[in-house]
Amino acid sequence: MMIVMKPTATAQEVDAVVDRVHGVGARAHVINGEELVVIGAIGDAEHVARLDLEGTPGVDHMVPISKPYKLASSQITHGRRSVLEIAGAKVGGDQFAMIAGPCTVESRAQTLDTARIVAGAGATMFRGGAYKPRTSPYAFQGLGQEGLRLLAEAKAQTGLPIVTEVMDARDLEAVLEVADVIQIGARNMQNYTLLSEVGRSGAAALIKRGLSSTLEELLMAAEYILKEGNESVMLCERGIRTFETAYRFTLDLMAIPVLKELTHLPVIVDPSHAAGRRDLVAPMSLAAAAAGADGIIVEVHPNPDEAICDAAQQLVAAEFPDYLDRVRAAAAVAGKTLADQPAECLLT
Ligand code: PEP
Ligand code: MN
């Protein structure tokens, strides 16, 4: 239930409503808008139904949140879009985030070379996996702790915030020492204990859409993080399974406008994992940016043909500046500007 306060409501009146919400065993989520305060009463439907605020001072009206996801719903912010601030980089609103880096951290030279090139070209954040979700248990699983150390070095050298995946809650503490954004991989999108743990950590999260997940399931995954009081969540469309076999996954570009209708959270697109082929990455990036995505997460490698994983899809680092210029122009079509790098970005 959404409780819309009158523009004249006082802080005491807001507090009194929050107490009433707690009194029926629900959680109160206070959103301070520019003109008025909205209080989301979140909890068991039976508990929320006991709330009778008719005639309560300061309350204007109440609107039920019809969706199963409450805090992720665009209803709760009255259509206002969330803009996340991550280590000095903005994601959402009219800002377009370019998150670039290798599939996996392989070596010091590969990591630092890529970081310098993408930072120099104007990327907003650096990505790279230290813990990799691989289909085969015999495939390279990531450098783990050593990978995290190299990511920390990339951050120290470039100032770019780090996006990296956590697959197991037992690694969360170590990953949090370097990560500015925790990536929840497509295969873990419905790992609810991991989502709750990341929610409790308070760190920003990027949730990949599951291989066969609906948008509603993706939003329910986000809800697990939001319900812990962590509001720094972005969603990522990365291609879904369809009957088509000509490419790796089907990039669901319609998810961009539809998610924007359903949720206030930023929507990022990963063209690399959807395509599985380098030549498809640029056209899909341009389409995603022009369709209004809030950013792109893309794989880049100094010498992709020698990459340990996802060799066929990673962009050639030397070609990244040109790619970014084209994506920037496509984002402008949707009214977005490439987000500024954090002020302390050492390469600008
Ligand atoms: C990745 O981004 O490194 C990755 C493994 O992506 P996904 O979880 O979308 O497959
Ligand atoms: Mn990859």
Side-chain angles (χ1 to χ4, degrees):
M1 183 68 72
M2 250 163 52
I3 304 149
V4 183
M5 302 300 289
K6 292 184 176 143
T8 53
T10 63
Q12 285 82 357
E13 286 168 345
V14 171
D15 288 347
V17 172
V18 168
D19 286 345
R20 294 274 293 279
V21 172
H22 290 160
V24 296
R27 289 166 70 131
H29 185 81
V30 180
I31 299 147
N32 289 295
E34 261 164 40
E35 275 155 32
L36 40 81
V37 174
V38 175
I39 302 166
I42 314 290
D44 208 53
E46 268 179 42
H47 293 174
V48 176
R50 276 192 235 131
L51 260 180
D52 179 14
L53 295 170
E54 198 68 43
T56 304
V59 173
D60 193 64
H61 64 282
M62 290 167 71
V63 188
I65 304 177
S66 49
K67 304 289 185 191
Y69 44 89
K70 310 291 181 191
L71 298 171
S73 160
S74 48
Q75 282 179 295
I76 203 157
T77 58
H78 267 224
R80 185 166 48 86
R81 305 214 55 79
S82 289
V83 180
L84 311 186
E85 181 125 16
I86 294 159
K90 287 211 172 93
V91 185
D94 61 0
Q95 304 286 301
F96 186 89
M98 174 55 77
I99 307 169
C103 175
T104 185
V105 173
E106 298 172 12
S107 69
R108 186 164 186 271
Q110 170 252 11
T111 305
L112 300 184
D113 286 355
T114 314
R116 272 190 228 108
I117 292 170
V118 302
T124 322
M125 298 191 213
F126 185 62
R127 67 146 286 155
Y131 296 94
K132 296 300 301 177
R134 304 305 302 278
T135 304
S136 166
Y138 307 114
F140 175 70
Q141 305 285 310
L143 290 182
Q145 291 276 355
E146 172 61 6
L148 295 178
R149 205 190 58 69
L150 293 171
L151 287 171
E153 209 173 330
K155 184 165 155 179
Q157 287 202 8
T158 63
L160 289 188
I162 302 292
V163 181
T164 195
E165 177 161 358
V166 73
M167 295 200 299
D168 186 327
R170 287 170 294 186
D171 298 320
L172 187 57
E173 211 180 307
V175 172
L176 280 171
E177 283 188 17
V178 54
D180 296 290
V181 178
I182 299 285
Q183 180 173 321
I184 305 282
R187 290 152 190 86
N188 261 323
M189 187 204 87
Q190 289 180 310
N191 183 338
Y192 300 122
T193 46
L194 180 62
L195 291 166
S196 297
E197 203 67 48
V198 170
R200 282 192 283 276
S201 78
L206 180 149
I207 312 178
K208 298 277 199 97
R209 180 180 182 181
L211 274 49
S212 303
S213 297
T214 63
L215 296 182
E216 185 165 301
E217 287 163 342
L218 173 61
L219 290 163
M220 293 307 275
E223 193 78 9
Y224 269 89
I225 295 183
L226 297 167
K227 81 163 195 321
E228 300 297 339
N230 182 344
E231 295 177 358
S232 294
V233 178
M234 45 191 135
L235 306 171
C236 179
E237 161 60 35
R238 49 78 71 210
I240 50 172
R241 278 255 154 85
T242 67
F243 52 80
E244 186 53 73
T245 55
Y247 32 82
R248 206 169 170 196
F249 293 97
T250 298
L251 186 64
D252 180 11
L253 290 176
M254 206 106 72
I256 303 165
V258 173
L259 280 173
K260 292 197 152 202
E261 187 184 316
L262 300 176
T263 180
H264 55 92
L265 300 171
V267 179
I268 307 293
V269 170
D270 174 350
S272 304
H273 290 89
R277 267 171 49 185
R278 186 158 31 257
D279 60 322
L280 299 178
V281 171
M284 290 300 96
S285 303
L286 299 178
D294 294 303
I296 280 184
I297 179 165
V298 68
E299 289 189 344
V300 182
H301 192 286
N303 188 1
D305 290 338
E306 286 178 11
I308 297 181
C309 50
D310 286 344
Q313 74 196 28
Q314 302 202 54
L315 296 181
V316 179
E319 294 169 10
F320 180 77
D322 179 51
Y323 161 84
L324 181 51
D325 280 347
R326 295 171 65 206
V327 176
R328 194 197 312 249
V333 171
K336 287 180 176 283
T337 317
L338 183 66
D340 284 338
Q341 291 176 321
E344 67 273 25
C345 195
L346 310 173
L347 291 181
T348 54

